Amino acid sequence: GFSKYKVDPDADLSEYLVGIFDKHDCAKKLCLPPNLIILATMNTSDQSLFPMDSAFKRRWSWKYVPIDYEHEDSSKFTITIGDRSYSWNKFLQDVNERIKTITQSEDKQIGNFFIAHADIKQDEFINKVMFYLWNDVCKENYHTEDNFFRTEDESTEEEMEFSFGEMMADKVN
């Protein structure tokens, strides 16, 4: 049936509802119809949403969806950086292995649809993926072997560590 918690609508909305629901109680009070279905996704690593996440899990059905490195849709996604292209699913597999090793947890891994379209450009990759990796995975490991924000110095062939801010400063300069 209709929702049991009803809300008093303002005058304009109330007038509109009377026209739709005619004699039903929802003509006077705003309520959700029985055919409303809400589908949503949540990432368990969104730390600031933990209390809400717990509340949702208690109140609604939920299903764990594992990362699928062979997923038909995301296997078509590519990351384009400069003039080179990379497989999104291959990137996920490689980076998630490192994330799991560093964090000893699956919670921080990136899912198939972290970015949900086929052509991932460099700016979006940096601003979404690299920022996430720095902020939620590598930042706490800066100046340790676990930080995988590294590059090779071409002149000395030594591995050099960098932060997200340093990467962005180099990109701007």
Side-chain angles (χ1 to χ4, degrees), residues 5 19 25 42 52 61 74 78-79 90 101 109 114 118 120-121 123 126 129-130 140 145 147-148 152 154 156 166 172:
Y5 302 107
D25 189 35
M42 290 190 78
M52 220 165 53
S61 299
S74 66
T78 57
I79 305 163
K90 176 68 173 134
T101 299
Q109 292 182 331
F114 185 90
I120 304 163
K121 300 288 187 212
D123 281 347
I126 289 170
V129 178
M130 294 298 284
E140 299 300 321
E145 291 297 314
N147 179 21
F148 55 82
E152 189 174 287
E154 293 174 14
T156 64
E166 291 166 335
V172 171

Side-chain angles (χ1 to χ4, degrees), residues 130-139 142 147 149 163-164:
M130 294 298 284
F131 179 77
Y132 168 77
L133 289 172
W134 173 256
N135 199 50
D136 289 338
V137 179
C138 293
K139 180 172 61 177
Y142 193 47
N147 179 21
F149 272 59
S163 70
F164 182 79

Side-chain angles (χ1 to χ4, degrees), residues 13-32:
L13 183 55
S14 182
E15 185 178 318
Y16 175 76
L17 293 173
V18 168
I20 291 180
F21 292 109
D22 194 28
K23 295 178 183 171
H24 192 277
D25 189 35
C26 283
K28 297 176 191 101
K29 298 257 189 185
L30 182 60
C31 56
L32 300 176

Side-chain angles (χ1 to χ4, degrees), residues 18-84:
V18 168
I20 291 180
F21 292 109
D22 194 28
K23 295 178 183 171
H24 192 277
D25 189 35
C26 283
K28 297 176 191 101
K29 298 257 189 185
L30 182 60
C31 56
L32 300 176
N35 63 345
L36 176 66
I37 297 172
I38 299 172
L39 297 176
T41 62
M42 290 190 78
N43 182 337
T44 59
S45 68
D46 292 335
Q47 297 95 355
S48 63
L49 297 176
F50 179 76
M52 220 165 53
D53 181 30
S54 296
F56 288 156
K57 286 179 186 174
R58 286 193 319 271
R59 287 172 176 83
W60 288 296
S61 299
W62 62 287
K63 176 183 173 186
Y64 172 74
V65 178
I67 299 167
D68 178 2
Y69 300 116
E70 305 295 322
H71 193 280
E72 183 179 344
D73 293 333
S74 66
S75 67
K76 298 172 189 166
F77 295 4
T78 57
I79 305 163
T80 303
I81 299 177
D83 59 353
R84 298 187 64 187

Side-chain angles (χ1 to χ4, degrees), residues 43-45 64 66-67 96 99-101 103-111 132:
N43 182 337
T44 59
S45 68
Y64 172 74
I67 299 167
N96 283 340
I99 290 170
K100 190 172 180 181
T101 299
T103 65
Q104 303 297 305
S105 171
E106 295 180 350
D107 277 359
K108 303 257 185 215
Q109 292 182 331
I110 299 174
Y132 168 77

